[in-house]
Amino acid sequence: MTSVAEKPPRQDVPPEPVRPTLRQRLSRWDVRFSPYLYIAPFFVVFGLTGLFPLLYTGYVSLFDWEIGDDDPKFIGLENFVTLLGDAQFWNAVVNTISIFVLSSGPQLVIAILLAALLSLRLRFPASWRVGILLPYSASLVALGIIFANLFGPRYGLVNAMLEAVGLDRVEWQANRFASHLAIATMVNWRWTGYNALIVLAAMQALPRDVYEAAVVDGAGAVRRFFSITLPMLKPTLIFVVVTSTIGGLQIFTEPKLFDAMPGSNNGGSQHQFQTLTLYLYQSAFEGFDLGYASAIAWLLFLLIVLIALVNFLITRRVAATTGLKR
């Protein structure tokens, strides 16, 4: 009798993991870390030129710090408390917001209309686009001097035109609202063309098949503009509104040159068009109070963040309820 040896059951042995080569590891690290290296220069520069001054300004605002003082006294939030009770500060806040509203609102509407016109089939389109950008390329100081003369109370061209049509002369620099209107005109003249080109670029990137479908459905040009163009421009409009808010609330050169004494930081004899940045500059380099000026800078920063956020929410809500959602 012969015995047959039983064959041991087969066991699956897991394969040994293949160790990646150096080239494969470098390729994996390249995919994972390269995007961070590409954007790192921006954040490094921003940290040095933007974030550090912001934080250091907050630090200085906690001191009674005058120019040349080597041993400033720590006073905590006293600068902010004093600032909230400062009538000149609130006067500058009202002036800044008033000029911002008078400039940003019309500027955005005119920019959209200009972009709509430029998107039509015009002859020499490049010439028209360069033409509306010319005010932006001009020197801001030159524009300030020109507009200060145009709105001059005695020999200004604007008052001459008002008298030609039978209206009274306007004291553009003495009257508070008139001065805001004149400065807002200066701002609109410079920035409307720039914003129009941004809107135009976004308008030309919109898908044409949506418009073709609307034409087949019988939608007219006005209906297509309000129901297709404006809602689909929502991201661009939000960008333009936010950047206009940031720039509009930091207005400095225009009111500084509009003064009867160009270069003054008073914003008129009664501070009727003194903005927050002018008051900040005046506190720092005429009053030599760096701590107080830093407190103004921080409240201005918070005001910009607050208004930019409100504008962002309003623009998104309006664009979303106008027609299409994106």
Side-chain angles (χ1 to χ4, degrees):
M1 184 176 182
T2 60
S3 61
V4 179
E6 294 183 356
K7 192 175 182 179
R10 183 178 178 182
Q11 295 181 353
D12 294 334
V13 180
E16 293 184 359
V18 179
R19 190 173 183 181
T21 63
L22 177 61
R23 185 172 183 177
Q24 290 173 329
R25 289 201 298 270
L26 291 175
S27 177
R28 192 177 302 167
W29 294 341
D30 180 38
V31 173
R32 181 178 297 178
F33 298 112
S34 288
Y36 298 102
L37 292 177
Y38 294 150
I39 62 174
F42 166 78
F43 287 100
V44 171
V45 174
F46 171 74
L48 293 175
T49 62
L51 188 60
F52 173 73
L54 180 67
L55 298 177
Y56 189 69
T57 302
Y59 171 75
V60 174
S61 68
L62 303 177
F63 290 83
D64 181 11
W65 198 325
E66 295 187 356
I67 290 181
D69 189 354
D70 295 331
D71 186 21
K73 179 183 177 184
F74 179 78
I75 57 174
L77 299 177
E78 187 176 328
N79 278 328
F80 292 93
V81 174
T82 305
L83 191 58
L84 293 177
D86 185 351
Q88 189 174 351
F89 168 74
W90 290 110
N91 175 71
V93 170
V94 173
N95 291 341
T96 303
I97 295 177
S98 173
I99 295 172
F100 162 71
V101 171
L102 289 173
S103 60
S104 295
Q107 186 183 133
L108 182 62
V109 174
I110 297 173
I112 294 173
L113 294 177
L114 277 177
L117 290 174
L118 291 174
S119 66
L120 301 176
R121 293 181 179 177
L122 302 174
R123 299 185 66 182
F124 312 112
S127 302
W128 291 106
R129 293 169 190 175
V130 171
I132 66 168
L133 196 61
L134 282 179
Y136 177 73
S137 62
S139 166
L140 183 56
V141 175
L143 287 178
I145 295 173
I146 291 172
F147 274 85
N149 283 281
L150 287 177
F151 287 99
R154 291 188 178 180
Y155 307 108
L157 179 62
V158 178
N159 270 342
M161 295 174 64
L162 291 177
E163 287 184 326
V165 296
L167 298 177
D168 295 332
R169 305 170 70 91
V170 177
E171 295 292 337
W172 293 104
Q173 292 169 330
N175 183 279
R176 189 178 190 185
F177 179 75
S179 63
H180 295 181
L181 194 62
I183 295 172
T185 303
M186 200 185 311
V187 176
N188 289 335
W189 173 262
R190 187 162 190 262
W191 287 99
T192 301
Y194 174 82
N195 288 327
L197 287 186
I198 294 177
V199 177
L200 175 64
M203 201 175 284
Q204 292 185 332
L206 298 180
R208 308 312 302 175
D209 54 343
V210 180
Y211 288 94
E212 293 169 359
V215 171
V216 172
D217 291 340
V222 177
R223 178 67 184 275
R224 293 198 299 273
F225 179 75
F226 283 102
S227 298
I228 298 176
T229 305
L230 281 184
M232 296 187 76
L233 285 176
K234 183 178 72 173
T236 304
L237 295 181
I238 290 174
F239 170 78
V240 171
V241 167
V242 171
T243 52
S244 297
T245 302
I246 295 172
L249 293 176
Q250 298 183 71
I251 185 170
F252 177 77
T253 307
E254 289 88 347
K256 190 176 180 68
L257 294 175
F258 186 70
D259 200 288
M261 298 176 61
S264 170
N265 299 308
N266 290 325
S269 57
Q270 302 294 324
H271 307 301
Q272 61 268 26
F273 53 90
Q274 185 183 48
T275 59
L276 275 173
T277 48
L278 280 180
Y279 187 41
L280 185 159
Y281 189 89
Q282 189 177 48
S283 300
F285 300 106
E286 290 182 3
F288 305 116
D289 194 344
L290 296 182
Y292 197 69
S294 298
I296 297 174
W298 256 91
L299 288 185
L300 174 60
F301 169 71
L302 296 177
L303 180 67
I304 291 173
V305 171
L306 177 64
I307 295 181
L309 183 61
V310 171
N311 279 340
F312 168 75
L313 295 175
I314 292 176
T315 308
R316 189 175 66 171
R317 182 67 178 272
V318 170
T321 55
T322 303
L324 298 174
K325 292 185 178 181
R326 196 176 179 188

